[in-house]
Every structure is written in C-alpha cells, then in structure tokens.
Amino acid sequence: MYYAGIIGCGKIAELRHAPEYIECEKANIVGFYDINIEKAKRLAHMFGGKAYYSLEELLADDRINIVSICNANTAHARDTILALKAGKHVLVEKPMATSYEDCENMVSCAKENGKRLLLGHNQLFASAHVKARKLIKDGAIGRPLVFRTVFGHPGPECWTGNPNSWFISKERAFFGVLGDLGIHKIDLMHYLLDDVAVSVSANTSTLDKRNPKGELVDVEDNASCLIEMSSGVQGIVQVSWTFNAGEENSTRIYGTEGVMRLYDDPKYSLIIEEKGGAVIKMQLDSLTSNEEQNTGGRTSTGIIDEFVSAITEDRPSRADGKQALKAMRVVFAAIESVETGRRINI
Ligand SMILES: NC(=O)c1ccc[n+]([C@@H]2O[C@H](COP(=O)([O-])OP(=O)(O)OC[C@H]3O[C@@H](n4cnc5c(N)ncnc54)[C@H](O)[C@@H]3O)[C@@H](O)[C@H]2O)c1
C-alpha cells in the first residue's frame, strides 16, 4: 500500500492528483502541504488527511512513502530532491525544472536513493496516443515523414482563476507557454514516434497576454518549434496561451502511406486517412480540456495509477524522469535557439 503526501495545493492537486489518489485502490492520502496553509487545510478537508505546516514536517512523516509535487515550477527541483533524499518516491508536475542541470540532478538523485521519479506527462496515457504509437510501429501510415502538433488554450488564468498567478511571472515560472505546454507535446512526439529530437529551431513571442495592470507579461504566450528527429522526420510544435476561443490539443502525423489524425475531430479521437482514399475512424477517449476539468467534467488521466503500478511492478514507465529529461533538453535547446537566432543541434 502507498501513502501519499501532496506538496502544492492548487488546481492540479485539487482536480487531478488528489481525486486520482482517492480512486486508486493501492493508495491513500496522508496529507497536504502548501506555502499557504489555508490551501493545505482546504484540500485536507475535501479529501481527508492532515495539513502540514512545513515541507520538513511532511517529509519527516514516516507513513508517507510517495509524494506528488504540484507547486510552482521554480520549486520543483528543490522539493523533488528533498523528497527523494527523505526516502519518498516522487511524481513531479511538468515542467520538470527550470534548468537542465537541475533536471539531471533530479534523475541522478532518484537513482542514488533507489527511488522512482515520474513526471506528470499525462498525455502519454491518453488512449488514442497509446494506440497511435502501436499503429505507427505496425506501419499504419507507412514511414512517418512529417508532423504537426498543437496545444493552445486561452491561458493559465482561465485554469487557475487567478489573473496574476505565478504562471505569468518569469521570476516565479521561468517558462511561459513553451515550458508549460510545449513540454507535453515534445515528450509526446518522442513517445509516438519512438524517436528523439536532434535539432530545434524556435520562435517565441508575447503577443497578447497581459497582467491585471494591462502590461504584457514577461514570459512568452506563443511558441513555435521546428524539430528534426533522429530518423529524419521533421515537424512543428505550436503552443499558445492566446487561443481565446477555446482549447486545441491535436496532432497529425503524415507518412508515406497516409495521415494519422489525433484528437482533431470532435467525435473520433484517432483517424487514419490512407493515400488510396480509405478512412479508418476510432472512437477512443477524449483529452479532457481545462474548461471541462474546471466544470466537473473530469476523466482520470491514469497518471497516479501509473506512478503506483510502476513502483509496485518495479518496471520502467514512459513517464520516467529519464525520458522527460530528453524532452526537457529540447525545451532548453529551443530557448537557446530563440536567444541566438540559430538552429540548435542537440
Ligand atoms: N500535467 C498537466 O497537465 C498540468 C496541468 C496544470 C498544471 N500543471 C503543473 O502543476 C503545477 C501546479 O500548477 P497549478 O495549476 O496547480 O497551479 P496553482 O497556482 O493553482 O497551484 C500552485 C500551488 O502551489 C503553491 N506553492 C507555490 N510555491 C510553493 C512552494 N514552494 N511550496 C509549496 N507550495 C507552493 C501555491 O500556493 C499554490 O497553491 C505547475 O508546475 C504546473 O505547470 C500540470
């Protein structure tokens, strides 16, 4: 049995981690910690367990053997390392950390302490993505050639309800949309194509996202990356916090024999259009949007079950820190590309 402590008690803890621990047969929640004790008390009241007054107090509780880290990006590395050293397995939210060195330290700390480190890269568990990886391997679209993957919504304030949250502050978030949404899609393309990016050329801008004073925020609200994979496949990752009319979260992969469309049709989550004209449509799950999740239309992402079963079965996970590290390398290379105006080889 696993006993969870949740660090950071905002939206993702409330809407995803805590409910998924409650649903997981092999896990119980022991308690919560947040720098704002009222938020920890609120979730303890909603889900059961205690509110801890300090991180040290939570980590010193020997009943807790797994932790979820759900706080602001700039605290991920420090808290992950403290938790691993305290003997806990860790599931940390994306983006993993705010420097590549910190990401590497997190992975090596897990190894040194014999504990698991997984990332909240929940898109890897969406059923059309899982099915797509297998179909691509089986040659359903021939040899993959190019892809286009898009993730955009109206911005983090629509998710957290806070127009001045840490998400829109360079100092507290470090990344804008590139780290926030881009990491999901870069890691997803590694997974779908069973490949790894070898070069990236990126562009970022702050076009329309403003703080409550009406000033443009100091992190990017749009990013586009042109990526080349080791197989030669090339593709575009487009992420945005200014899709003001609603969320888009879709992928197309074009191969020698056809195109695969993922989550770009309201009814069918996986469509294959073959070059001869045949069309195969599969109705699998839908990717829960921020809006649906905020209005009670939540579906389980499976990330907590994966965390717990990867530990129990002592098997690798597609959400392992080691995998996430490869995707974070691409995010940092994209930042270097923006800063230098050059394509960066990874
Ligand atoms: N996997 C996903 O799809 C997904 C979706 C949304 C958010 N996230 C990630 O989850 C994390 C939290 O996002 P959120 O939407 O819940 O934000 P949020 O602002 O709603 O909640 C963050 C919470 O962390 C607390 N906090 C900040 N610094 C802390 C610290 N040092 N120690 C303890 N608590 C601290 C804040 O008080 C707040 O309660 C972020 O890293 C975000 O990128 C992941």
Side-chain angles (χ1 to χ4, degrees):
M1 198 68 184
Y2 294 94
Y3 296 92
I6 299 185
I7 298 166
C9 300
K11 276 289 173 179
I12 197 77
E14 176 185 343
L15 296 181
R16 196 167 296 161
H17 290 248
E20 292 195 22
Y21 278 121
I22 298 284
E23 282 163 19
C24 177
E25 283 175 4
K26 291 190 187 138
N28 283 322
I29 297 176
V30 178
F32 298 87
Y33 166 66
D34 194 287
I35 39 170
N36 177 345
I37 183 66
E38 295 310 320
K39 296 185 97 174
K41 283 183 179 168
R42 180 172 168 271
L43 293 201
H45 180 70
M46 285 173 73
F47 297 100
K50 68 180 272 191
Y52 295 89
Y53 279 80
S54 72
L55 177 63
E56 292 70 25
E57 189 193 354
L58 183 151
L59 294 179
D61 190 330
D62 288 336
R63 289 174 301 166
I64 294 177
N65 50 13
I66 55 177
V67 301
S68 273
I69 296 186
C70 302
N71 51 22
N73 302 346
T74 44
H76 289 180
R78 183 200 60 201
D79 293 0
T80 295
I81 286 172
L82 285 172
L84 290 166
K85 286 185 173 167
K88 324 291 185 194
H89 300 285
V90 174
L91 171 64
V92 60
E93 267 307 334
K94 42 56 57 177
M96 192 172 183
T98 55
S99 75
Y100 187 66
E101 193 188 352
D102 278 349
C103 297
E104 285 184 311
N105 288 340
M106 290 159 79
V107 171
S108 39
C109 185
K111 193 170 174 207
E112 281 156 21
N113 288 279
K115 297 293 160 199
R116 296 301 294 271
L117 171 63
L118 266 68
L119 271 288
H121 288 183
N122 47 285
Q123 296 216 1
L124 304 179
F125 301 92
S127 46
H129 291 155
V130 176
K131 182 94 184 162
R133 175 174 153 115
K134 181 164 187 327
L135 289 170
I136 292 167
K137 256 195 192 327
D138 292 347
I141 53 166
R143 183 165 57 88
L145 299 171
V146 290
F147 67 82
R148 185 171 77 233
T149 188
V150 179
F151 192 1
H153 59 52
E157 70 280 16
C158 300
W159 157 252
T160 61
N162 176 0
N164 202 22
S165 84
W166 60 269
F167 271 104
I168 55 162
S169 152
K170 173 103 181 149
E171 193 189 346
R172 289 182 291 162
F174 181 76
F175 303 105
V177 71
L178 175 63
D180 183 41
L181 304 185
I183 183 61
H184 273 303
K185 289 313 202 187
I186 292 166
D187 194 53
L188 175 68
M189 293 318 302
H190 282 176
Y191 170 70
L192 289 177
L193 298 170
D194 195 11
D195 201 352
V196 66
V198 292
S199 79
V200 59
S201 172
N203 190 41
T204 58
S205 341
T206 309
L207 299 173
D208 196 41
K209 186 61 60 197
R210 291 174 191 275
N211 64 25
K213 288 184 194 158
E215 301 156 342
L216 280 176
V217 300
D218 63 357
V219 286
E220 76 282 354
D221 61 14
N222 278 276
S224 307
C225 303
L226 181 58
I227 285 178
E228 186 191 4
M229 310 296 278
S230 73
S231 58
V233 170
Q234 63 169 267
I236 292 169
V237 176
Q238 185 195 11
V239 287
S240 176
W241 281 345
T242 62
F243 283 11
N244 294 325
E247 186 161 324
E248 187 178 336
N249 194 346
S250 64
T251 301
R252 284 186 178 214
I253 302 167
Y254 300 81
T256 50
E257 307 304 319
V259 56
M260 180 177 285
R261 296 166 44 194
L262 300 168
Y263 298 111
D264 78 340
D265 179 274
K267 189 163 178 198
Y268 297 100
S269 39
L270 195 161
I271 298 175
I272 295 172
E273 292 167 354
E274 294 178 358
K275 83 176 171 193
V279 179
I280 302 158
K281 295 180 172 182
M282 297 182 200
Q283 219 173 354
L284 301 162
D285 63 351
S286 61
L287 275 177
T288 311
S289 69
N290 284 352
E291 195 187 342
E292 282 166 334
Q293 204 147 24
N294 259 328
T295 50
R298 194 186 66 82
T299 52
S300 171
T301 63
I303 191 70
I304 299 297
D305 285 342
E306 172 69 8
F307 181 37
V308 164
S309 65
I311 303 169
T312 311
E313 293 161 21
D314 194 18
R315 59 160 173 81
S317 167
R318 67 195 76 146
D320 271 331
K322 256 194 327 200
Q323 287 303 115
L325 190 60
K326 294 179 196 163
M328 287 304 291
R329 178 74 190 84
V330 184
V331 170
F332 290 110
I335 292 172
E336 190 184 340
S337 167
V338 171
E339 285 168 356
T340 59
R342 289 191 295 112
R343 182 164 100 160
I344 303 300
N345 292 319
I346 298 164

